[in-house]
Amino acid sequence: MFSGIKSYLTDWKNLLTHSLVGVLILLIALYAPVSPYVRMGFVGCVVGFNVFRMKYLDQ
């Protein structure tokens, strides 16, 4: 389990994706306040996509 978490957190594609999503959420929060639940859902979708990508597409 810890090796999976370590590989997830050190994958450059995940770092790039989460950085872009973080900037996007900040920009949206400045110009169009969005419910925190929508933001958490968006981040959850990104995490789910990255886990799927790492498990099935990057082989």
Side-chain angles (χ1 to χ4, degrees), residues 37-51:
Y37 299 112
V38 172
R39 291 183 218 159
M40 287 187 292
F42 189 65
V43 171
C45 287
V46 168
V47 169
F49 171 75
N50 281 331
V51 168

Side-chain angles (χ1 to χ4, degrees), residues 1-12:
M1 183 169 116
F2 291 113
S3 64
I5 292 171
K6 182 179 180 256
S7 68
Y8 181 83
L9 292 175
T10 56
D11 183 43
W12 72 269

Side-chain angles (χ1 to χ4, degrees), residues 3 9 15 18 28 33:
S3 64
L9 292 175
L15 293 173
H18 283 284
I28 289 172

Side-chain angles (χ1 to χ4, degrees), residues 24-42:
L24 182 65
I25 287 174
L26 283 174
L27 290 175
I28 289 172
L30 289 174
Y31 296 107
V34 177
S35 166
Y37 299 112
V38 172
R39 291 183 218 159
M40 287 187 292
F42 189 65

